[in-house]
Amino acid sequence: MTNIGKRSGMMFFLVAVLEIIGFGLLAISQEGSIDYQALIVLGLSLILLMFQYWVIPQIFHHADRQVMVIVNLLMAVGLIFQYRLSTSTAYKQVICCTLGIVAMLITMQLILKNVFKRRYALIYMIFGVAMVAITLVLGRVIGGAKNWISLSETLSVQPSEFAKVVLVIILALWLRESRSFRQLIPMFAYVFICVCLLVVARDLGAALLFFGTFLMMLFVATSNLFYVSAGLGALALGGIASYHLFDHVRTRVSVWLNPWTQVNDGGYQIVQGLMAIVSGGMFGTGIGLGSPRYIPAYRTDYIFAVVCEEMGVLSGIILIGFYVILVVRGAIIARRAINAYHALLALGSTVMIALQSFIIIGGVIKLIPLTGITLPLVSYGGSSMVVTFMLIGILQAVAEASGREASAYLDEEEEDEEE
Amino acid sequence: MKELRKNIKYLLGIMVICFILLTVYLVYDAVIWGNRWLNSPYNPRLQQQRATVIPGNIYDRTGKLLVGTNKNGKRTYLEYKNQRYSMCHIIGDTRGLCATGVESTYAATLLGYNASFLSTMKQFIQQTPVTGNNVTLTADETLCTTAYKALDGKKGAVVLINYKTGEILAMTSTPGFDPKNIDDADLSDSSSVLVNRAIQGRYVPGSIFKVITLASALENGISPSWSYDCDGNLELSGDTITCPSAHGEMTLEEAFAQSCNCAFAKLGCTLGASKLVKTAEGTGIFQENMYKDFTLYASKIAIGAGSRQSEIGWAAIGQDKDTVTPLGMCMIAGGIANGGMMKEPRLVKTSGLDMSTLTSALQDTRIMSSSVAKSLKSMMRTVVEEGTGTRAAVDGVTVCGKTGTAEVGGSRNPHAWFIGFVEESEHPLAIAVVVENGGSGGRVAAPIAKKVLEKAINSGY
């Protein structure tokens, strides 16, 4: 612990250096005057960082430091870019991150206290479906997808985001013990309903994310390749069916195959994104020197293209590397978990974040058809930020629980030796 | 739980592979497509740059200034209309309407968008206005103008390359536009002035395709003494292929020199579709080629394993559904001249500080064995010496070639074609000429080739 602690201290320091350089450059980028706003946001970011470095380990001794470092790195990149794009969104992003950290701590406590019980699973399922369905009824359309609910002029939330956390918990609760086909039917039904509702709401990214996470967890829990191939078959069938049923799905696919034939039309966003990515070259134009505003959704879904333009394709690769580290740590935590339930929880959270980053980065670079979702921890967006932190909270709770058990075991051994 | 841990390991492997895929694809985007997307006329960053930057000059290979910038920041062009029209498609325009020109494909270089860090710093410190980098073409303005004049207002294209280096010495497509007055040009015209016919025009090849059929026959062991008795008609699965008149008994060489349709349709059927297609596709022009400086459209050969005899017959004489690009055929002619080795074409000699155009290796393609190339060369020599291509002969050098008169259906005149090359290695020139609905290849296209080749040889190429 001490060894790791020291090493991660160094890494936290490097995150702080990144933030200082990033915001420092932004503060002096205007000629002749210093932008004090940048320094304020820098201060707030450093407070968030220090809080996680000093306070969280006091409460949760075994929280995974490397996950914390990666989370903070991604968050720092997000904050720097949000500030570079507009001052007011940067402040909002700071608030979102703060809320996210609080949500993370609450989630950790809930998981550690073992609040979620299998016998209430039906209630969680109803809650999860309600979260998705409510957007269909009350939601308004933003960016082609109906997934926002306005609470007031300035505040809108995306309840379907919260259904992600519910999904991970339900899958873990259910798959912990139920493996036979008959026992799995209610879960299949739940996932089916959620995915259908998301497709109807045109939130294809979320639909893909839900189904992908479900499939991967199903495989890990049951090792049943028949289920997985049936699931993939269903995905293919569903894909083909929605291709024929929905206009917007057809547009997505044709735009993916050749966006350049529809440059001023359906392909506008993806073409602008691709041109932004390559316009920076390997090393980027330099932060603040690119032209991200040509890309629709530059703050949210397309933040990856903005990072590539201003910090270079190389930084894009490094960003992908951060997610890889997060995924590897997540898998290690899942393997060390104290029981199957915890292992599935940790794995579900990891898969959810991994898949989400894969879907959006893959969409932006035209590897797969573009479906609009946020880049975890980097994109602007409160609901997404809070939910990602909740998933991280689940992961950290699993790490904490296994750490506690291991140290309890060590303590026992020490006592044995003393005797 | 043990099973679970094992599965987690597998799943981790899958996820890591997915992320590696992302990285590889991102690098692929940046390296393979980077320049093309950056220089895209749709990229608003370059248009934004245009407002503040003095764009670089464009020179021809002799150092003649083709496009410059005057004091007011306006682009300046050559003095005479013929000169401007003759190179309009390889220069392009500042609005990116004609996207094949270097104004578009090298926009980032000309506008200094990807200038080196050092030169940017130098300009910043010296407080000089930002200037872009210059681009030097491989083309020679006088040759382009000669070709433009030789086309004499007819629709078509002329391409002249150096078959030893792949450099494009002249590339002219008509009708063109005046880059100086691009705003006034009538772009709604059905003759599509913005299309560079040399690389984007897909024409029925007619008899010039017999070069490929002949190469395939020689590759596949059919001897030059193969003979055929032409009576003017050939029945193939219910379809009739005709010659203007009965050629009588001929060897392969004579049939090629007289461009006998029946003999070559028969030859194609003897070879079969798969061998013919294999030779054709071996040249590489039957797929879209994204060269460094431009994209050469794919030519087409529309036969396969299940084709009927008549379809193979028509394909073997370049009629019906085959289409080719002028530059593609020019490259094949150059490949034959170069002993079967086809060079990758280049349009830009140097650009900015980028030395890669000078040093980077050209992609050579072996399109046929050197012995086949040698036989083809001698047969193509006969075409110009005593066959259909006599009007392409140039005094002092040996011109080899093949004419084509491509039927386009209906009552329209056929396309006139000539492809050929100068045999002497001191003048490594290969040429392709097409005149849309121009009539006979030997009477219309061959004289144009002669004029351009004469000018090139007199200019010392």
Side-chain angles (χ1 to χ4, degrees):
Chain A
M1 164 65 208
T2 46
N3 202 6
I4 295 255
K6 268 181 201 157
R7 281 221 309 271
S8 69
M10 189 63 197
M11 292 194 284
F12 271 98
F13 177 68
L14 288 176
V15 179
V17 170
L18 174 74
E19 288 181 347
I20 291 167
I21 293 176
F23 283 108
L25 279 174
L26 287 171
I28 57 168
S29 62
Q30 265 98 29
E31 259 176 71
S33 67
I34 291 175
D35 181 4
Y36 291 103
Q37 302 257 30
L39 301 180
I40 296 172
V41 179
L42 170 64
L44 294 173
S45 320
L46 288 176
I47 291 171
L48 284 182
L49 184 68
M50 291 305 128
F51 174 77
Q52 290 179 76
Y53 178 57
W54 275 307
V55 182
I56 293 183
Q58 302 299 322
I59 315 167
F60 302 104
H61 298 285
H62 305 284
D64 193 284
R65 297 297 192 92
Q66 295 182 35
V67 169
M68 273 163 74
V69 169
I70 292 293
V71 166
N72 278 290
L73 266 173
L74 293 169
M75 213 174 79
V77 172
L79 283 170
I80 291 168
F81 271 89
Q82 294 308 334
Y83 186 81
R84 176 257 175 275
L85 292 169
S86 105
T87 313
S88 61
T89 51
Y91 281 117
K92 284 188 196 161
Q93 183 85 337
V94 172
I95 295 169
C96 296
C97 291
T98 316
L99 287 176
I101 292 167
V102 174
M104 174 175 79
L105 295 174
I106 295 172
T107 314
M108 284 178 79
Q109 209 43 283
L110 290 179
I111 298 288
L112 285 169
K113 296 276 181 232
N114 211 8
V115 171
F116 301 106
K117 297 283 197 300
R118 166 69 192 261
R119 59 177 178 277
Y120 303 134
L122 194 64
I123 300 173
Y124 306 148
M125 283 188 181
I126 293 167
F127 179 71
V129 171
M131 278 288 164
V132 183
I134 197 169
T135 40
L136 256 186
V137 184
L138 302 175
R140 63 198 168 89
V141 177
I142 290 183
K146 197 175 187 183
N147 53 10
W148 290 85
I149 291 186
S150 320
L151 297 181
S152 69
E153 283 283 303
T154 49
L155 186 64
S156 28
V157 290
Q158 247 178 317
S160 60
E161 285 279 333
F162 292 91
K164 288 179 192 168
V165 185
V166 180
L167 180 77
V168 169
I169 292 170
I170 290 174
L171 286 176
L173 282 172
W174 208 276
L175 290 168
R176 164 167 57 169
E177 42 208 47
S178 311
R179 314 258 164 99
S180 80
F181 185 72
R182 268 186 60 185
Q183 288 169 313
L184 287 173
I185 288 175
M187 205 187 59
F188 289 153
Y190 170 70
V191 174
F192 181 74
I193 292 170
C194 281
V195 170
C196 285
L197 286 174
L198 286 170
V199 171
V200 173
R202 299 192 163 200
D203 200 348
L204 298 177
L208 192 60
L209 185 58
F210 271 54
F211 198 74
T213 308
F214 160 70
L215 263 191
M216 290 192 189
M217 286 183 75
L218 187 65
F219 161 71
V220 169
T222 62
S223 334
N224 190 326
L225 286 175
F226 172 73
Y227 287 161
V228 178
S229 33
L232 288 175
L235 183 66
L237 275 181
I240 294 166
S242 53
Y243 180 82
H244 288 288
L245 283 175
F246 302 112
D247 253 352
H248 61 277
V249 181
R250 265 197 300 279
T251 320
R252 290 286 166 95
V253 174
S254 78
V255 160
W256 169 59
L257 290 174
N258 196 351
W260 298 90
T261 54
Q262 310 164 52
V263 173
N264 293 317
D265 194 20
Y268 184 75
Q269 183 173 30
I270 188 147
V271 163
Q272 290 298 332
L274 292 173
M275 288 188 304
I277 290 172
V278 300
S279 290
M282 278 292 154
F283 303 102
T285 56
I287 192 160
L289 299 174
S291 314
R293 273 164 220 277
Y294 292 118
I295 322 166
Y298 58 90
R299 274 177 205 148
T300 50
D301 301 356
Y302 260 75
I303 193 79
F304 184 76
V306 178
V307 173
C308 279
E309 182 185 357
E310 300 208 330
M311 303 224 301
V313 169
L314 226 48
S315 301
I317 294 170
I318 293 170
L319 209 58
I320 295 172
F322 290 162
Y323 287 106
V324 173
I325 297 173
L326 189 60
V327 170
V328 172
R329 282 312 296 177
I332 291 173
I333 292 171
R335 277 163 64 89
R336 286 186 190 154
I338 50 172
N339 56 37
Y341 170 55
H342 269 202
L344 287 168
L345 275 181
L347 189 81
S349 318
T350 309
V351 165
M352 190 68 96
I353 294 172
L355 206 55
Q356 188 172 341
S357 23
F358 177 80
I359 290 172
I360 187 59
I361 297 177
V364 168
I365 67 174
K366 206 172 82 72
L367 175 65
I368 55 173
L370 175 68
T371 49
I373 44 175
T374 53
L375 184 63
L377 298 166
V378 183
S379 287
Y380 171 67
S383 308
S384 153
M385 186 62 86
V386 170
V387 166
T388 312
F389 266 110
M390 285 165 86
L391 293 171
I392 296 289
I394 294 178
L395 195 59
Q396 294 288 31
V398 173
E400 176 73 15
S402 63
R404 279 183 194 172
E405 198 182 76
S407 67
Y409 179 72
L410 279 179
D411 289 348
E412 260 172 41
E413 272 197 341
E414 270 170 31
E415 278 168 26
D416 287 348
E417 277 167 21
E418 276 167 26
E419 280 170 20
Chain B
M1 197 64 194
K2 206 176 152 198
E3 181 94 8
L4 202 64
R5 290 209 177 95
K6 206 175 72 197
N7 287 343
I8 291 173
K9 208 164 76 183
Y10 291 147
L11 195 60
L12 176 64
I14 295 170
M15 288 194 288
V16 170
I17 290 171
C18 285
F19 278 101
I20 292 172
L21 206 64
L22 276 187
T23 312
V24 170
Y25 199 80
L26 179 59
V27 172
Y28 160 79
D29 272 356
V31 173
I32 305 292
W33 292 96
N35 242 344
R36 249 165 257 275
W37 289 347
L38 173 60
N39 287 306
S40 160
Y42 303 112
N43 192 346
R45 288 164 192 79
L46 294 179
Q47 295 304 328
Q48 195 186 11
Q49 188 96 338
R50 212 177 275 285
T52 56
V53 167
I54 301 166
N57 298 333
I58 302 173
Y59 298 96
D60 85 343
R61 65 178 298 125
T62 61
K64 183 182 283 178
L65 180 66
L66 302 174
V67 183
T69 305
N70 66 12
K71 285 198 294 290
N72 309 324
K74 285 274 284 178
R75 281 303 228 183
T76 60
Y77 296 92
L78 287 165
E79 191 179 353
Y80 299 108
K81 202 173 156 210
N82 279 345
Q83 297 175 314
R84 296 196 297 269
Y85 270 78
S86 74
M87 300 187 87
C88 62
H89 295 102
I90 53 181
I91 288 175
D93 62 282
T94 47
R95 289 169 62 196
L97 298 172
C98 173
T100 58
V102 288
E103 284 271 34
S104 294
T105 55
Y106 276 77
T109 309
L110 287 166
L111 294 168
Y113 192 83
N114 46 10
S116 76
F117 176 72
L118 275 178
S119 64
T120 315
M121 277 307 284
K122 202 172 126 199
Q123 284 174 345
F124 178 74
I125 291 165
Q126 296 175 340
Q127 292 289 311
T128 51
V130 181
T131 52
N133 295 307
N134 298 335
V135 168
T136 304
L137 301 176
T138 60
D140 183 327
E141 181 271 318
T142 55
L143 294 182
C144 289
T145 307
T146 307
Y148 181 77
K149 283 182 186 156
L151 278 166
D152 195 24
K154 293 189 271 286
K155 286 186 194 174
V158 175
V159 200
L160 181 73
I161 61 170
N162 177 330
Y163 60 72
K164 288 210 145 95
T165 60
E167 289 174 318
I168 294 172
L169 299 173
M171 179 149 80
T172 297
S173 163
T174 50
F177 59 92
D178 192 345
K180 195 175 173 185
N181 307 315
I182 182 80
D183 296 306
D184 309 330
D186 181 13
L187 304 173
S188 60
D189 191 356
S190 61
S191 55
S192 42
V193 295
L194 296 172
V195 174
N196 184 346
R197 286 165 161 76
I199 55 176
Q200 299 178 315
R202 284 182 272 215
Y203 295 98
V204 179
S207 298
I208 56 164
F209 195 86
K210 287 172 187 161
V211 171
I212 294 173
T213 309
L214 182 56
S216 182
L218 297 172
E219 286 277 89
N220 290 297
I222 291 176
S223 93
S225 60
W226 180 88
S227 70
Y228 180 78
D229 188 6
C230 170
D231 59 5
N233 290 303
L234 177 67
E235 289 275 340
L236 286 174
S237 56
D239 216 345
T240 312
I241 286 168
T242 56
C243 283
S245 60
H247 289 107
E249 174 92 26
M250 289 174 303
T251 64
L252 200 51
E253 180 162 13
E254 286 160 348
F256 187 70
Q258 297 304 322
S259 200
C260 174
N261 288 340
C262 299
F264 273 83
K266 182 77 195 161
L267 190 60
C269 291
T270 312
L271 277 168
S274 59
K275 282 178 183 161
L276 192 57
V277 170
K278 188 166 172 266
T279 306
E281 284 179 350
T283 64
I285 69 160
F286 290 88
Q287 63 184 55
E288 190 172 275
N289 281 301
M290 293 192 301
Y291 297 120
K292 188 167 184 289
D293 305 329
F294 55 85
T295 299
L296 175 62
Y297 279 25
S299 299
K300 196 175 84 180
I301 176 163
I303 52 170
S307 292
R308 281 177 297 139
Q309 292 283 297
S310 60
E311 286 171 322
I312 301 172
W314 285 117
I317 60 168
Q319 286 296 159
D320 203 19
K321 291 182 186 117
D322 295 349
T323 52
V324 296
T325 56
L327 177 63
M329 291 312 292
C330 185
M331 285 156 59
I332 290 180
I336 296 166
N338 200 28
M341 201 59 110
M342 189 173 89
K343 289 285 179 182
E344 181 182 328
R346 278 285 155 88
L347 187 57
V348 172
K349 215 169 147 89
T350 54
S351 63
L353 296 167
D354 174 21
M355 306 305 267
S356 66
T357 39
L358 289 175
T359 53
S360 72
L362 294 158
Q363 188 74 47
D364 293 353
T365 315
R366 176 155 287 285
I367 57 170
M368 59 188 72
S369 69
S370 59
S371 62
V372 170
K374 206 175 157 208
S375 318
L376 261 176
K377 209 188 270 188
S378 82
M379 293 194 196
M380 286 171 82
R381 193 188 306 129
T382 317
V383 171
V384 177
E385 277 171 0
E386 53 198 58
T388 55
T390 45
R391 287 181 181 82
V394 176
D395 287 340
V397 294
T398 318
V399 176
C400 310
K402 182 75 193 82
T403 59
T405 306
E407 300 295 340
V408 286
S411 57
R412 285 176 296 166
N413 262 336
H415 293 330
W417 270 102
F418 181 84
I419 61 166
F421 52 86
V422 177
E423 200 181 346
E424 283 81 2
S425 59
E426 309 87 83
H427 305 290
L429 301 166
I431 193 165
V433 177
V434 64
V435 181
E436 277 178 41
N437 309 114
S440 152
R443 270 191 287 275
V444 178
I448 295 175
K450 176 192 165 90
K451 279 185 201 163
V452 177
L453 286 174
E454 262 177 353
K455 178 75 184 172
I457 289 161
N458 290 338
S459 308
Y461 292 109

